[in-house]
Amino acid sequence: MRRWNGWGDEATVMELPAHGAAFLEARVGAGRSLPDASLDSVLTQVPASRLADHPLISSDAEARVRHARGQSLPDWLAMREGNFGVFPDGVAFPETAAQIRELLAWAAERDVIVIPYGGGTSVAGHINPQSGDRPVLTLSLERMNRLLDLDEESRIATFGPGANGPQVESQLRAHGYTLGHFPQSWELSTLGGWVASRSSGQQSLRYGRIEQLFAGGTLETFGGPLEIPTFPASAAGPDLREIVLGSEGRFGVISEVRVRVSKLAEDERFYAVFLPSWPRALEAIRELAQARVPLSMLRLSNAIETETQLALAGHPGQIALLEKYLRLRGAGAGKCMLTFGVTGNRLQNAASLKQAKRLLGRHGGVFTGTLLGRKWAEGRFRFPYLREALWQAGYVVDTLETATDWCNVDLLLDRIEASLRDGLADEGERVHVFTHLSHVYGEGSSIYTTYVFRPAGSYAETLERWRTLKQAASWVIAGNRGTISHQHGVGRDHAPYLAAEKGERGMAVLEALAAHFDPERRLNPGVLLRD
Amino acid sequence: MRRWNGWGDEATVMELPAHGAAFLEARVGAGRSLPDASLDSVLTQVPASRLADHPLISSDAEARVRHARGQSLPDWLAMREGNFGVFPDGVAFPETAAQIRELLAWAAERDVIVIPYGGGTSVAGHINPQSGDRPVLTLSLERMNRLLDLDEESRIATFGPGANGPQVESQLRAHGYTLGHFPQSWELSTLGGWVASRSSGQQSLRYGRIEQLFAGGTLETFGGPLEIPTFPASAAGPDLREIVLGSEGRFGVISEVRVRVSKLAEDERFYAVFLPSWPRALEAIRELAQARVPLSMLRLSNAIETETQLALAGHPGQIALLEKYLRLRGAGAGKCMLTFGVTGNRLQNAASLKQAKRLLGRHGGVFTGTLLGRKWAEGRFRFPYLREALWQAGYVVDTLETATDWCNVDLLLDRIEASLRDGLADEGERVHVFTHLSHVYGEGSSIYTTYVFRPAGSYAETLERWRTLKQAASWVIAGNRGTISHQHGVGRDHAPYLAAEKGERGMAVLEALAAHFDPERRLNPGVLLRD
């Protein structure tokens, strides 16, 4: 059963090893626990629904609890405290596009707010109902999760929007195909959600971001369905896919998604290499990206993340041996771990590996083979479970991310880390901060920063600590040529910073589109554009 | 000096070899010439300008003649006949973004139509002034052609919008870089025009379409500049670049373009392979594209194009020897020529070549080395000059193009060719039609069809012949899942077919954007959206 107050399945439990706890205690102090609320106590808070009866809508209390919050840190704290604030008045589970249209018409007639809901994994406040006079209907797409068509010649698969990662991949795998879109939230997040929030997966270097995978589909709007046909490419005016991508439920509800799929690769391997220092590592991955070496993934941890990962990995004896070997080969203190993958046919993979090793060798890279790469691949979707493990140990963890041009990566990364590391200095609290670059392009890179801090004495004060940190880092991003999100969208949490990159006139364009599609502002108001 | 009534520089003359003329005569009948008008006779037609004096605006008659028409077939016929119809009232040559803003404000005040003008190479009627009450100002960007900044770390170059292909490449080459965007119109077309019309170059397989190369920039609108910052990727809502791309001068004037550039490649080679039949050739290039073999270009001629190219190539003796060799190796009648390129470092190129040869060999491909590939590379920008040579020989040539998913390529190609081949049957005229696929994707391919026919007894009847053919093929494209343009935009000529792919609701979105940017419809009205 899926956790009602945290990430993933209840059966999956991740524990922090003892030396991991000691590592954190040395860096931010002893952990502190806050009491968890029970589901029963939350259920009693759910008010009567303001919605009229409708056969497709459930106003069951537990359904409303389970669709009230996403996976942002404020959501987490609200769920653990049992302080949900607002619940949707009902949750609909349409099974067809016609039912979505029916629900939209019904909502328009009754002036009901509609929140499209995929996997509920937003980390930016995309699906949270707000208090207000208008009742709120959450529209869950979970029953529209099927592979509806597979055009093997054109490599286009048509899916319902509610298919989550495992549903997408298992249905494709049965025919020998893969979408190749693997965000960390893959176990729960959905195809429609990926499109609506411009998601990017861990192997985007090979398969592309969702922007490149999304070939066409249908957006149900208050004015009727907007159908976008598939073309391999087109010069016929502005591309309407790009208006659906990143629309975050503001313009309509995605009812069908066509994606570009690939044959399952003949061969796939992941490798780990240690670089002696951050400057050399940064130069190496920039060169790899700009030389177009056909790798399928690339992730570079900075020195603190490398140290933290090795400390939290378990098997301290083996790690000590590894570190001794690396030191002998020139990668001692300050070393940075690079994981990269090759995916494709064997001939191509061998050529790619050779190019990568040659280039990394020139930068002092110490190659360690596939063992750590395999570990990365096995644990690639486990990181979100770590929040639970850290919480049990008395720590709060959150992440934030951006992307910027290469000339600005180092500066922006430093400033983000500093803003978080020093963010709670007034309270005498330390914050443990580390970063990796996981999506590289010829032009620049994403920057993905994790920060760990201690809860305060209450949930409210803990939320305040988070707000202080998040705001400090977000203004650093907005003020230093970073995008407010590289892979998670805007939602409510990033909306205050959006104008810094879109500009006043860019915001006016988005407002004009919102006014065109939804003049009454009934679709997910407050998300993307502030109301 | 650039030709005033045709393509390219007057000094470049291409001639049709005698056996080429015989080849065409056998297929469509003896050529027929229509009399060319002189520039002087056209200059006398230019009426008085309706514009007030402005220091940045020329109302010189020759400037107005030279900016009245593009390079579509109707433009060609109008220029050859000297029957221009409408001239712009003036041509402005701004040198800065501030001057563009000044001109826009000036035009808004006086209710003047503004047509942004890059290289004047549109083949779809993008830059032609229309008759009407409002005076027309053509805004040529030709003086804004400089490389303004080169960020070597992020590989981003900032250009004025009026830089044409040679200006872009020569300024980058001085620093060791290339944009890698080589449309057939490269000698004359401009960066701003490529962006505004969603252009694609011959090596888009490596470098990407202009959509992938355009990193950001500035669009001057009546409401002020819309500045789009550069990010390697972003999930921060809909991508505003995608609204500028394909905007065709309707939303504003592009005043600055930032593009992603690459280091000049260490190694580049082009090869020719002959496949024994069209079905096998089609399957082979689909497999090459879907296997992601890192080629830099790929062009497959169908059997008639292959035959035509060999016939028009010159050196009949050598061609006969080649054909004998190919026949012996299994590629006889019905053979299809495939040209492909590898660009990059030597190690990667060797691996790519090996994969390509192996795959093509499985489909019966006969590899002929680099000679024909080199010929292609040398002549890659010469095709537009062929119109002049054919015209002198008494023939009219035009091309049209689309793109569709792989499952539909063969059917659509057949129907397009049939609609053209039989298009003048009522008049008893034959049309010589042939096709190549030059931009391949995992999902599908572009289809580029050339058709040759004879002029009728007058210019007006010849234009009518063209209209019959163009309409027949365009409705075939629109009715059979093709996009109305893969690489040349919509303009006026394709506007009637746009709704077939965008749909009524998609057109409404574009209309809403036009209304937002230009409520008085002063910017290039009738282009993209019909007025």
Side-chain angles (χ1 to χ4, degrees):
Chain A
M1 181 96 185
R2 183 166 166 182
R3 284 196 175 83
W4 67 275
N5 64 349
W7 183 263
D9 195 278
E10 288 168 356
T12 304
V13 178
M14 191 174 162
E15 279 187 25
L16 195 65
H19 57 278
F23 177 88
L24 285 179
E25 185 165 343
R27 272 148 193 87
V28 302
R32 159 193 269 156
S33 289
L34 290 175
D36 279 354
S38 72
L39 177 56
D40 284 344
S41 75
V42 175
L43 290 173
T44 62
Q45 302 166 23
V46 180
S49 173
R50 296 171 292 177
L51 292 173
D53 282 348
H54 187 288
L56 290 170
I57 300 174
S58 163
S59 51
D60 171 65
E62 188 168 336
R64 292 166 64 195
V65 169
R66 285 180 174 274
H67 292 81
R69 290 286 183 163
Q71 296 288 334
S72 71
L73 207 272
D75 290 332
W76 172 273
L77 295 176
M79 293 189 289
R80 304 315 285 221
E81 187 182 11
N83 177 16
F84 274 58
V86 183
F87 301 91
D89 289 277
V91 186
F93 298 92
E95 296 182 7
T96 63
Q99 291 182 344
I100 296 175
R101 286 197 287 275
E102 183 194 328
L103 287 161
L104 283 179
W106 186 87
E109 234 170 67
R110 285 162 185 77
D111 201 16
V112 168
I113 301 279
V114 175
I115 301 179
Y117 185 104
T121 61
S122 166
V123 291
H126 280 101
I127 52 91
N128 308 27
Q130 303 296 295
S131 61
D133 294 338
R134 298 190 281 184
V136 178
L137 172 64
T138 290
L139 207 155
S140 167
L141 284 318
E142 69 174 67
R143 292 190 187 161
M144 296 175 69
N145 58 24
R146 295 238 314 280
L147 173 62
L148 303 169
D149 184 64
L150 178 61
D151 171 356
E152 296 199 45
E153 203 173 344
S154 315
R155 305 263 166 109
I156 294 177
T158 306
F159 278 98
N164 62 30
Q167 288 166 341
V168 167
E169 289 297 331
S170 62
Q171 292 180 88
L172 287 175
R173 183 173 285 266
H175 301 272
Y177 292 89
T178 178
L179 177 61
H181 191 75
F182 302 112
Q184 212 164 54
S185 61
W186 178 83
E187 292 181 354
L188 300 175
S189 57
T190 62
L191 197 40
W194 300 336
V195 170
S197 65
R198 289 189 169 255
S199 163
S200 188
Q202 292 161 350
Q203 284 172 268
S204 65
L205 207 50
R206 174 175 171 86
Y207 297 104
R209 295 167 59 86
I210 201 70
E211 291 97 302
Q212 283 87 50
L213 296 170
F214 177 51
T218 307
L219 183 75
E220 305 295 336
T221 75
F222 282 123
L226 173 64
E227 276 159 29
I228 302 180
T230 58
F231 299 117
S234 168
D239 189 344
L240 298 176
R241 286 178 309 152
E242 297 282 348
I243 283 170
V244 177
L245 287 157
S247 57
E248 303 194 355
R250 287 301 303 248
F251 303 158
V253 181
I254 297 166
S255 62
E256 192 172 278
V257 182
R258 291 177 192 213
V259 280
R260 296 169 179 148
V261 298
S262 301
K263 270 272 182 205
L264 285 166
E266 176 184 306
D267 182 45
E268 177 164 82
R269 278 151 222 256
F270 300 98
Y271 302 90
V273 176
F274 287 82
L275 281 300
S277 72
W278 177 251
R280 296 191 75 179
L282 190 60
E283 207 178 320
I285 64 159
R286 180 166 65 82
E287 284 183 18
L288 273 173
Q290 293 181 339
R292 292 186 166 82
V293 181
L295 304 178
S296 63
M297 69 81 62
L298 207 152
R299 174 194 167 118
L300 174 66
S301 299
N302 71 356
I304 314 177
E305 180 166 303
T306 301
E307 187 192 2
T308 305
Q309 282 191 322
L310 294 177
L312 300 190
H315 314 294
Q318 286 171 33
I319 298 292
L321 277 174
L322 170 71
E323 295 203 282
K324 190 173 168 189
Y325 166 75
L326 293 172
R327 222 172 10 251
L328 284 169
R329 299 283 308 274
K335 65 184 173 298
C336 296
M337 181 161 111
L338 170 69
T339 315
F340 70 90
V342 293
T343 304
N345 68 55
R346 287 194 181 83
L347 199 160
Q348 178 59 58
N349 284 358
S352 303
L353 180 61
K354 196 166 168 185
Q355 287 175 83
K357 283 175 87 166
R358 189 181 284 184
L359 192 154
L360 291 166
R362 282 204 301 271
H363 291 276
V366 185
F367 191 73
T368 68
T370 57
L371 179 69
L372 287 168
R374 218 154 45 221
K375 283 263 169 231
W376 171 83
E378 285 162 18
R380 61 198 291 187
F381 306 123
R382 297 200 62 202
F383 184 84
Y385 290 96
L386 189 63
R387 184 177 272 174
E388 183 83 33
L390 287 169
W391 181 254
Q392 303 300 344
Y395 298 99
V396 180
V397 61
D398 197 23
T399 61
L400 47 80
E401 45 82 16
T402 180
T404 195
D405 297 346
W406 282 118
C407 69
N408 192 46
V409 167
D410 210 26
L411 180 92
L412 180 55
L413 189 162
D414 274 353
R415 289 189 178 168
I416 291 169
E417 285 202 341
S419 73
L420 294 166
R421 204 166 42 234
D422 308 334
L424 301 179
D426 286 355
E427 302 181 47
E429 286 290 314
R430 286 175 290 163
V431 183
H432 185 57
V433 184
F434 49 91
T435 297
H436 65 256
L437 313 183
S438 51
H439 299 259
V440 295
Y441 305 84
E443 177 181 337
S445 174
S446 72
I447 299 174
Y448 190 101
T449 299
T450 303
Y451 53 108
V452 183
F453 59 101
R454 297 197 294 180
S458 70
Y459 275 99
E461 290 164 292
T462 304
L463 179 61
E464 205 40 49
R465 281 189 180 172
W466 173 82
R467 197 167 280 139
T468 302
L469 294 170
K470 176 79 173 178
Q471 284 180 358
S474 297
W475 284 122
V476 163
I477 289 169
N480 288 277
R481 297 180 46 197
T483 175
I484 199 60
S485 177
H486 166 269
Q487 67 206 64
H488 291 110
V490 178
R492 258 184 203 85
D493 294 355
H494 297 149
Y497 313 97
L498 188 62
E501 61 194 87
K502 299 289 187 193
E504 180 198 329
R505 292 184 192 95
M507 294 305 291
V509 174
L510 299 182
E511 287 287 354
L513 288 169
H516 171 74
F517 284 112
D518 179 24
E520 308 295 333
R521 297 179 97 82
R522 285 197 191 99
L523 277 164
N524 224 2
V527 163
L528 186 62
L529 304 167
R530 299 165 86 178
D531 283 283
Chain B
M1 183 97 185
R2 184 166 165 182
R3 283 196 175 84
W4 68 275
N5 63 348
W7 183 263
D9 195 277
E10 288 168 356
T12 304
V13 178
M14 193 174 162
E15 280 188 26
L16 195 64
H19 58 279
F23 178 87
L24 284 180
E25 183 163 346
R27 271 145 195 90
V28 301
R32 160 192 270 156
S33 289
L34 291 174
D36 281 352
S38 71
L39 177 56
D40 283 344
S41 75
V42 175
L43 290 173
T44 62
Q45 301 165 22
V46 181
S49 172
R50 296 170 292 176
L51 291 173
D53 282 347
H54 187 288
L56 290 170
I57 301 174
S58 162
S59 50
D60 172 67
E62 188 168 336
R64 291 166 63 194
V65 169
R66 286 181 174 274
H67 292 82
R69 290 284 183 163
Q71 296 288 335
S72 71
L73 206 274
D75 290 334
W76 172 273
L77 295 176
M79 291 188 291
R80 303 315 286 223
E81 187 182 12
N83 177 15
F84 274 58
V86 183
F87 301 90
D89 289 278
V91 186
F93 299 92
E95 296 183 7
T96 64
Q99 290 183 344
I100 295 175
R101 287 196 288 275
E102 183 194 328
L103 288 162
L104 284 179
W106 185 87
E109 233 170 70
R110 286 162 183 77
D111 200 17
V112 168
I113 301 279
V114 176
I115 300 179
Y117 185 103
T121 61
S122 167
V123 291
H126 279 100
I127 51 91
N128 307 28
Q130 303 297 298
S131 59
D133 294 337
R134 297 191 282 185
V136 178
L137 173 62
T138 291
L139 207 155
S140 165
L141 284 317
E142 70 172 67
R143 293 191 186 160
M144 296 175 70
N145 59 23
R146 296 241 312 281
L147 173 63
L148 303 169
D149 185 63
L150 177 62
D151 171 355
E152 297 199 42
E153 203 173 343
S154 313
R155 305 261 166 110
I156 294 176
T158 306
F159 278 98
N164 62 29
Q167 288 167 341
V168 166
E169 289 296 331
S170 62
Q171 292 181 87
L172 286 175
R173 183 172 284 266
H175 301 272
Y177 292 89
T178 177
L179 177 62
H181 191 75
F182 302 112
Q184 212 163 56
S185 61
W186 177 84
E187 292 181 354
L188 299 176
S189 57
T190 62
L191 197 41
W194 299 337
V195 171
S197 64
R198 289 190 167 255
S199 162
S200 189
Q202 292 160 350
Q203 283 172 271
S204 66
L205 207 51
R206 174 176 171 84
Y207 297 103
R209 292 166 62 84
I210 201 71
E211 291 97 301
Q212 283 87 48
L213 296 170
F214 176 51
T218 306
L219 182 76
E220 305 296 336
T221 75
F222 282 125
L226 172 64
E227 275 159 30
I228 301 181
T230 57
F231 299 117
S234 169
D239 189 343
L240 298 176
R241 284 178 310 152
E242 296 283 346
I243 284 170
V244 177
L245 286 157
S247 57
E248 303 193 352
R250 286 302 302 247
F251 304 158
V253 181
I254 297 167
S255 62
E256 193 172 279
V257 181
R258 291 177 193 216
V259 281
R260 296 169 178 147
V261 298
S262 302
K263 269 272 181 204
L264 285 166
E266 178 184 307
D267 183 44
E268 177 164 82
R269 276 151 222 257
F270 299 99
Y271 301 91
V273 176
F274 287 81
L275 281 302
S277 73
W278 177 250
R280 298 192 74 179
L282 192 58
E283 207 179 321
I285 65 159
R286 180 167 66 81
E287 284 183 19
L288 273 174
Q290 293 181 340
R292 292 185 167 81
V293 180
L295 304 178
S296 64
M297 70 80 61
L298 206 150
R299 175 194 167 120
L300 173 66
S301 298
N302 72 358
I304 313 176
E305 180 166 305
T306 302
E307 187 192 1
T308 306
Q309 280 191 323
L310 294 177
L312 300 191
H315 314 293
Q318 286 172 35
I319 296 292
L321 276 175
L322 170 71
E323 293 204 283
K324 188 172 170 192
Y325 167 75
L326 293 172
R327 219 169 18 248
L328 284 169
R329 298 285 309 275
K335 66 184 173 296
C336 296
M337 180 161 109
L338 170 69
T339 316
F340 71 89
V342 293
T343 305
N345 67 55
R346 289 194 180 82
L347 199 159
Q348 178 60 59
N349 284 357
S352 303
L353 180 61
K354 197 167 168 185
Q355 287 175 83
K357 283 175 86 166
R358 188 182 285 183
L359 194 154
L360 291 166
R362 281 203 302 271
H363 291 276
V366 184
F367 191 74
T368 67
T370 56
L371 180 69
L372 288 168
R374 219 158 40 224
K375 282 261 169 236
W376 171 84
E378 284 163 17
R380 64 198 289 188
F381 306 122
R382 296 199 65 200
F383 184 83
Y385 290 96
L386 188 62
R387 183 176 273 172
E388 183 82 36
L390 287 169
W391 182 254
Q392 302 300 344
Y395 298 100
V396 179
V397 61
D398 197 23
T399 61
L400 47 80
E401 45 82 17
T402 179
T404 195
D405 296 346
W406 282 118
C407 68
N408 193 47
V409 167
D410 210 25
L411 179 92
L412 181 54
L413 188 161
D414 274 353
R415 291 190 177 167
I416 291 169
E417 285 201 341
S419 72
L420 294 167
R421 202 167 40 236
D422 309 333
L424 302 179
D426 286 354
E427 303 181 48
E429 285 291 314
R430 287 174 291 163
V431 182
H432 184 57
V433 184
F434 50 90
T435 298
H436 65 257
L437 313 183
S438 51
H439 298 260
V440 296
Y441 305 84
E443 177 180 335
S445 175
S446 72
I447 299 174
Y448 190 102
T449 298
T450 303
Y451 53 107
V452 183
F453 60 99
R454 297 196 294 181
S458 71
Y459 275 98
E461 290 164 291
T462 304
L463 180 61
E464 205 40 50
R465 284 190 177 170
W466 173 81
R467 197 167 279 137
T468 301
L469 295 171
K470 176 79 173 177
Q471 284 179 359
S474 297
W475 284 122
V476 163
I477 290 169
N480 289 277
R481 296 180 47 198
T483 175
I484 199 59
S485 176
H486 166 270
Q487 67 207 61
H488 292 112
V490 178
R492 260 185 201 86
D493 294 355
H494 297 149
Y497 314 97
L498 189 62
E501 61 194 271
K502 299 289 187 193
E504 180 197 330
R505 292 184 193 95
M507 293 306 290
V509 174
L510 299 183
E511 287 287 355
L513 287 169
H516 171 75
F517 283 111
D518 179 23
E520 308 295 334
R521 298 179 96 83
R522 284 195 191 102
L523 276 164
N524 223 2
V527 164
L528 185 63
L529 304 168
R530 299 165 85 177
D531 283 281

